[in-house]
Amino acid sequence: MIIGLTGTLRAGKGTLVEVLKENNFEHYSVREFLIEEIEKRDKPVNRDSMIEIANELREKNSPSFIVEQLYNKAKEKGKDSVIESIRTKGEVDFLRKYGREDFFLIAVDAEQKIRYDRAVKAQSETDNVSFEKFVEQEKREMFSDDSGKQNLSYCMNYSDYFFLNNYSTIEKAKKEFAEGKNGFVNLVRDQKRRPSFGEKYMRGAFEASHRSTCLRRHVGAVASKNNIFSSDGYNGAVRGSPHCLELGCIRTELNIPSGERHEMCRGVHAEQNTIINAGREGKNLIGATLHVTIYPCSHCAKEIVQSGIKKVFYLGGYNSELTEDILKQGKVKIEKFSGVVPQAYPRFWG
């Protein structure tokens, strides 16, 4: 088995590596590979030089060059292995192609402020920067159209398993990764656990999204209470009305950018439909949990608060400060989903 590990700076990739090593995985590090290359060139070891050398090697050889070297070493040794710091589309595509069913990609993340505080405490050669510089560097690493350059967003979005590491101690993070309700190690070692309720309901939200008739983005949501299904929904036309598939998208016609002027839309959002569907069946959502495939907009945030929902898990999308403020004032906790991602569900449980 080959595990690829991707994620943001100071999210805790090293902590997950420690757990995997304790479970007899061999460790191969892109970072260590690059440090050796930088020292050969007699350059300072910092985040900028690592990005520069990595891009140079990928451009000169292939988009997956660095990972290819580590993958070949792992295959020669013939043991379960973890390759740390997958960062480009080319690397993911290479490992998917040659690793096939034996390859799993794990993404790890944590809140940005938590990660910066960890960087300040670490004070390594690559971490000694201001918060503004930290944020700026991260933006550079998240997106790229070049398959050989850093694109953490792509790597994380196409992972098989996502681990949110906001834990206050390394011990807590290690225990949750190994043995928790969404734990990865118990899952791959002899299939010791079944899906958690969170994984079950996020999978349900993902499946509901396939009913969407929106021309821009398919979104699904599931509401549950006391771990019992309440309702689900997806974004689409009002009952009895023609779908956007038939009429076209009014937002596209008016050149309205994504995330703006939500009122200019024929559709009802997935979160709204989920809340409305519960009401139609006489189910109250006071104290309920909502799983949704995309971070809610501010309009849905207001309805979430009004419905009595107390916790929201989201799979992807971009945070909105207004949504965050509305939910916080309404005492609704919102958190990124952690566990086996819906698309990879069949790989683990068939």
Side-chain angles (χ1 to χ4, degrees):
M1 181 189 302
I2 303 285
I3 289 176
L5 198 55
T6 189
T8 49
L9 186 68
R10 290 295 166 188
K13 294 185 290 293
T15 299
L16 306 196
V17 166
E18 285 181 29
V19 177
L20 292 168
K21 286 168 70 176
E22 288 166 8
N23 282 270
N24 301 315
F25 279 76
E26 293 287 317
H27 174 222
Y28 300 89
S29 170
V30 170
R31 178 188 175 96
E32 289 173 10
F33 181 95
L34 287 172
I35 288 174
E36 287 181 15
E37 291 294 321
I38 291 167
E39 289 174 344
K40 287 178 189 175
R41 292 162 169 77
D42 199 27
K43 289 191 171 190
V45 178
N46 56 45
R47 201 168 171 185
D48 288 335
S49 64
M50 293 182 82
I51 293 171
E52 178 191 341
I53 299 302
N55 288 340
E56 177 189 311
L57 288 170
R58 292 170 183 135
E59 187 174 340
K60 182 179 178 181
N61 298 282
S62 74
S64 57
F65 175 75
I66 300 168
V67 164
E68 284 179 39
Q69 312 310 304
L70 302 180
Y71 176 81
N72 290 334
K73 286 182 182 179
K75 293 301 285 184
E76 283 174 19
K77 205 152 192 180
K79 292 186 176 182
D80 287 343
S81 302
V82 53
I83 300 175
E84 184 183 1
S85 292
I86 309 300
R87 305 182 76 80
T88 74
K89 180 181 183 297
E91 291 169 346
V92 173
D93 294 346
F94 170 84
L95 290 167
R96 289 277 186 223
K97 180 178 180 180
Y98 292 98
R100 300 183 187 276
E101 292 304 309
D102 288 332
F103 171 68
F104 295 93
L105 182 61
I106 297 175
V108 57
D109 198 6
E111 291 177 16
Q112 199 168 54
K113 188 63 172 64
I114 290 174
R115 292 189 290 103
Y116 179 70
D117 289 343
R118 290 173 185 167
V120 170
K121 289 177 184 175
Q123 285 297 295
S124 75
E125 296 148 305
T126 57
D127 291 321
N128 190 18
V129 296
S130 67
F131 180 68
E132 291 72 24
K133 178 74 171 175
F134 183 87
V135 172
E136 177 193 329
Q137 288 175 327
E138 188 156 283
K139 283 181 180 176
R140 255 190 357 243
E141 297 172 15
M142 291 306 288
F143 304 98
S144 174
D145 293 329
D146 187 330
S147 65
K149 291 188 177 177
Q150 298 200 49
N151 188 339
L152 284 179
S153 179
Y154 177 90
C155 297
M156 295 173 76
N157 286 339
Y158 285 88
S159 65
D160 299 299
Y161 173 90
F162 185 89
F163 186 72
L164 183 66
N165 182 21
N166 286 338
Y167 297 97
S168 56
T169 68
I170 290 174
E171 290 71 25
K172 287 180 181 178
K174 290 173 75 172
K175 185 174 177 60
E176 185 58 37
F177 181 65
E179 306 169 14
K181 63 182 179 181
N182 296 316
F184 182 80
V185 176
N186 274 356
L187 177 59
V188 295
R189 287 294 191 220
D190 305 320
Q191 303 290 310
K192 289 183 180 177
R193 76 167 177 87
R194 55 185 176 165
S196 68
F197 281 107
E199 288 165 334
K200 171 188 173 182
Y201 290 130
M202 191 57 85
R203 172 70 180 186
F206 174 72
E207 289 178 347
S209 73
H210 289 81
R211 285 282 301 164
S212 170
T213 54
C214 178
L215 294 172
R216 285 196 167 190
R217 174 179 282 172
H218 293 181
V219 183
V222 168
S224 62
K225 194 170 178 180
N226 300 321
N227 290 330
I228 298 172
F229 175 87
S230 296
S231 63
D232 63 3
Y234 51 88
N235 56 328
V238 174
R239 291 175 190 271
S241 299
H243 292 283
C244 296
L245 286 171
E246 303 163 61
L247 298 176
C249 177
I250 190 172
R251 294 173 61 80
T252 299
E253 292 168 11
L254 297 174
N255 293 317
I256 300 173
S258 179
E260 297 181 15
R261 298 185 64 193
H262 295 291
E263 75 282 357
M264 293 302 296
C265 179
R266 295 187 183 93
V268 182
H269 286 192
E271 301 93 319
Q272 295 171 319
N273 268 325
T274 301
I275 293 167
I276 293 165
N277 289 341
R280 286 170 62 94
E281 295 297 321
K283 297 177 181 178
N284 83 66
L285 297 180
I286 297 171
T289 297
L290 185 73
H291 284 81
V292 61
T293 56
I294 296 294
Y295 194 93
C297 71
S298 58
H299 290 277
C300 288
K302 289 180 275 191
E303 294 176 27
I304 287 168
V305 172
Q306 293 295 80
S307 73
I309 289 170
K310 285 300 176 187
K311 195 159 190 178
V312 176
F313 290 98
Y314 67 97
L315 187 62
Y318 304 103
N319 294 20
S320 154
E321 288 185 15
L322 182 54
T323 291
E324 193 173 346
D325 287 344
I326 291 168
L327 295 179
K328 185 176 181 180
Q329 290 164 12
K331 295 182 170 51
V332 177
K333 185 176 181 181
I334 184 165
E335 187 175 288
K336 193 168 174 63
F337 168 80
S338 189
V340 173
V341 302
Q343 297 91 322
Y345 208 87
R347 297 199 67 199
F348 293 94
W349 296 296

